[in-house]
Amino acid sequence: MRKHGDALLTAAVWLATALVVGAFLWLLGDVVIHGIGKLDAAFLLDAPQNAGRDGGIAPILVSTLLILVVALAVAVPLGLATAVYLSEYAAAQLAKPLRVCLNMLAGVPSIVFGLFGNALFCVALGMGFSIWSGGLTLACMMLPLFIVTTESGLSAVSSEWRRGAAALGLSRAAALWHILLPAAAPAITAGLMLSIGRALAETAALIFTSGYVDRMPESLSDSGRALSVHIYDLSMNVSGGDAAAYGSALVLIVLILAINSVAVNLTERFLQARTTA
Amino acid sequence: MIWSRHNISSPSRADVLLARLSGSLAFAVAVLLALVLLMLFKESWAVLASGGWARFFAGEGWFPSSGQYNLWPMLWATLVATLGALLLALPLGLASALFGRFYAPRWLVLPLRRVMMLLAGIPSVVYGLWGLTVLVPLIAQWEPPGASLLAAILILALMVLPTVALTSEAALAAVSSASLQGAAALGLSRKGIVLGVALPEARAGIFSGALLAAMRALGETMAVLMVAGNVVQTPGSLFDPVRVLTANIALEMSYAAGEHRAALFASGLLLMLMVAALAWLAGKRGGRLYA
């Protein structure tokens, strides 16, 4: 009887895993099969025509990149400074509530950030639908994740190193610059890559901030359509846009996977360096 | 460890400067994030002040043009879709985590974890695209119209599966090898070890993983918007098209003005409160919120 139950559980676990992996292979397979036909140099270098059914995605890639650059330019310095403050300077009674807030904000739905970005950047600050608004909204969305990963990287640096630096008479600023930040660099980069991946995947927060316009942006105050918004628009609002949508989806997935695998590699190398040090 | 970082290094002018600079930037971040809540309140005040919350939970339904803002149908759709997705994703994700820890041949463990990480990174709009072009037609063959609560549940389950699997695996990995070896030494079968020792010890971690998955499912917009059909109605069956709160915001924000816009901001506030409650619950159980 006991033998029986054991075999049953084993079978169930194998079956469930096969089901999960199968579903994902189905999804990825479909994206590759439907997308690969669209994918060539012209698709990446041409402007979209006929509402995106034909032509390429060049202006959309440029807009996506610009939105990302704005987001990073704001989020990285702010996030790095906050993480340093939390891990090296802040008193515990101040750091704790800040951490709780960050954890909560990391879970706030992206559409809510979209509402916030629309109200603050587009309307209250008068930026309208623009790459600025989209990038700043994404920066707010990225901050919690980036701060938390960076801070955990900094706190993972052995306290021996801090004491060693202190014994050598280094100021804390010098210790931070010469020892702690370099030691935590892989973890910080990994957090950065994760945040970029999430920003690239974001759609809901961008629809009402950076907008729908699929022309080549001329400045950062122009509206620009991100790649994920392009996929959404093609599949929902453009009949016959599925092929181009799958092509764009393949480009997006390849981009995100490349970034994610860099992040995973860096994290693993960092952890290995920690455990062998 | 009890030691204070604050007095082990010699203070210098650079230090004072850096402390002030990073402190004020951290303060700026805190202010920025407080602004999120503030803006939501400010923008929804128009409708909150006139008639208060009551209007969101009473009335004929969601008819913005005639000032009816009953959120119940969409709230129900959101809750049912989230719950359904969790009911599917929890056993499947847990099983694949168990597979990775206890059943998989050695060479399969790492590829499986890589697959899960890869899937966690796929954008929701791609899940939506696939659901719209593959899953919805399949369901439509069985029971039209296809775009339905069922499609939303299936896509959401697929989306939160990696979250459940990765957090459960991390929780199972933290089970002490001493108790596993002890159980094996007592002659327990693998089933006995898994069900009697590993799962109970990893319970807290699995629970906070489930909460994290619930947060994701509640807040998901694009994938659900693309497959659920978006008809505002209380779901009567799995094949009914429904509209969830997040999708409603995305659909109506482009033309909403005045009180209607305020009502959308208020529903955003409601979403945020629900997610905050889940985050608080997860934090209380000592779980980490990152996979």
Side-chain angles (χ1 to χ4, degrees):
Chain A
M1 201 55 219
R2 201 175 96 177
K3 217 47 194 181
H4 226 69
D6 217 23
L8 209 67
L9 185 68
T10 308
V13 166
W14 273 87
L15 197 73
T17 311
L19 199 70
V20 171
V21 173
F24 284 129
L25 288 181
W26 186 12
L27 189 155
L28 277 184
D30 268 342
V31 173
V32 172
I33 290 167
H34 295 303
I36 202 96
K38 266 271 169 192
L39 211 59
D40 51 24
F43 186 65
L44 296 177
L45 298 175
D46 284 352
Q49 282 155 11
N50 195 4
R53 291 184 195 93
D54 305 311
I57 52 172
I60 288 141
L61 284 176
V62 172
S63 302
T64 310
L65 201 72
L66 288 178
I67 294 170
L68 196 61
V69 167
V70 170
L72 289 177
V74 175
V76 169
L78 271 180
L80 212 54
T82 309
V84 164
Y85 180 72
L86 278 178
S87 127
E88 307 297 322
Y89 291 101
Q93 64 265 36
L94 210 77
K96 211 175 159 202
L98 200 52
R99 264 186 217 120
V100 172
C101 288
L102 286 173
N103 268 331
M104 234 165 230
L105 279 158
V108 168
S110 54
I111 187 84
V112 175
F113 275 104
L115 283 177
F116 159 73
N118 181 277
L120 181 64
F121 301 123
C122 298
V123 178
L125 297 180
M127 296 179 190
F129 283 160
S130 65
I131 289 174
W132 276 119
S133 308
L136 291 173
T137 308
L138 273 192
C140 296
M141 234 188 91
M142 280 160 84
L143 266 172
L145 179 67
F146 181 58
I147 293 172
V148 171
T149 44
T150 303
E151 198 217 338
S152 69
L154 277 173
S155 354
V157 176
S158 158
S159 4
E160 295 291 320
W161 294 24
R162 286 188 184 84
R163 290 200 202 104
L168 290 170
L170 258 64
S171 70
R172 277 159 68 193
L176 197 71
W177 183 252
H178 293 291
I179 298 170
L180 300 178
L181 282 179
I188 296 172
T189 321
L192 187 63
M193 295 289 157
L194 279 178
S195 313
I196 294 177
R198 192 159 293 181
L200 276 178
E202 189 44 53
T203 315
L206 290 178
I207 298 179
F208 307 117
T209 51
S210 63
Y212 270 98
V213 175
D214 62 357
R215 281 192 309 274
M216 184 65 84
E218 275 161 19
S219 78
L220 291 180
S221 337
D222 272 0
S223 166
R225 185 190 283 198
L227 197 50
S228 50
V229 176
H230 188 56
I231 298 170
Y232 164 68
D233 192 55
L234 279 178
S235 60
M236 288 294 278
N237 304 333
V238 179
S239 62
D242 284 353
Y246 269 112
S248 315
L250 190 57
V251 173
L252 185 57
I253 286 186
V254 169
L255 268 177
I256 290 177
L257 286 193
I259 290 170
N260 272 7
S261 63
V262 172
V264 169
N265 271 328
L266 284 171
T267 316
E268 273 168 16
R269 197 172 309 162
F270 178 71
L271 288 176
Q272 238 158 37
R274 283 312 94 211
T275 45
T276 51
Chain B
M1 189 164 53
I2 304 168
W3 60 281
S4 167
R5 250 180 226 163
H6 292 270
N7 43 29
I8 58 166
S9 276
S10 28
S12 74
R13 287 196 32 205
D15 272 351
V16 176
L17 203 70
L18 188 63
R20 287 215 183 118
L21 184 72
S22 67
S24 45
L25 286 178
F27 181 70
V29 168
V31 168
L32 194 67
L33 298 178
L35 259 179
V36 175
L37 207 61
L38 210 71
M39 285 311 276
L40 287 181
F41 263 115
K42 180 183 160 275
E43 294 289 321
S44 54
W45 192 245
V47 76
L48 288 187
S50 67
W53 281 102
R55 280 171 71 188
F56 291 117
F57 302 106
E60 311 265 309
W62 178 264
F63 301 112
S65 49
S66 56
Q68 306 258 19
Y69 301 111
N70 189 350
L71 290 176
W72 272 122
M74 290 185 277
L75 196 56
W76 274 122
T78 304
L79 292 176
V80 172
T82 301
L83 210 65
L86 278 184
L87 281 180
L88 279 178
L90 269 187
L92 286 174
L94 196 54
S96 49
L98 283 177
F99 180 80
R101 287 307 304 170
F102 295 102
Y103 291 88
R106 237 189 146 72
W107 58 270
L108 245 176
V109 176
L110 203 61
L112 190 69
R113 189 180 311 144
R114 283 280 153 86
V115 167
M116 284 300 171
M117 284 180 164
L118 191 156
L119 291 165
I122 289 186
S124 56
V125 70
V126 175
Y127 281 101
L129 173 65
W130 183 76
L132 185 67
T133 52
V134 177
L135 212 55
V136 167
L138 271 181
I139 297 174
Q141 276 177 16
W142 180 20
E143 176 92 51
S148 57
L149 179 62
L150 180 65
I153 288 177
L154 289 175
I155 283 293
L156 275 180
L158 209 54
M159 282 190 68
V160 300
L161 243 169
T163 308
V164 176
L166 290 170
T167 47
S168 306
E169 209 201 331
L172 286 170
V175 172
S176 69
S177 53
S179 32
L180 293 181
Q181 281 161 6
L186 286 171
L188 258 67
S189 65
R190 188 151 63 171
K191 179 186 160 206
I193 296 175
V194 167
L195 297 183
V197 179
L199 280 182
E201 228 183 285
R203 205 177 42 206
I206 294 170
F207 180 71
S208 59
L211 285 178
L212 182 63
M215 282 162 70
R216 289 257 163 90
L218 266 183
E220 179 47 43
T221 310
M222 302 322 288
V224 184
L225 167 64
M226 290 163 86
V227 302
N230 300 321
V231 178
V232 183
Q233 60 176 347
T234 309
S237 90
L238 277 177
F239 299 101
D240 282 351
V242 295
R243 184 188 289 193
V244 297
L245 281 174
T246 49
N248 185 50
I249 299 175
L251 284 167
E252 299 190 352
M253 208 22 214
S254 52
Y255 61 87
E259 214 176 39
H260 182 193
R261 183 179 152 93
L264 291 181
F265 272 86
S267 62
L269 204 58
L270 180 65
L271 271 170
M272 189 158 164
L273 288 181
M274 292 199 286
V275 167
L278 287 176
W280 175 76
L281 204 62
K284 212 174 138 198
R285 296 288 298 252
R288 275 165 48 93
L289 282 180
Y290 295 94

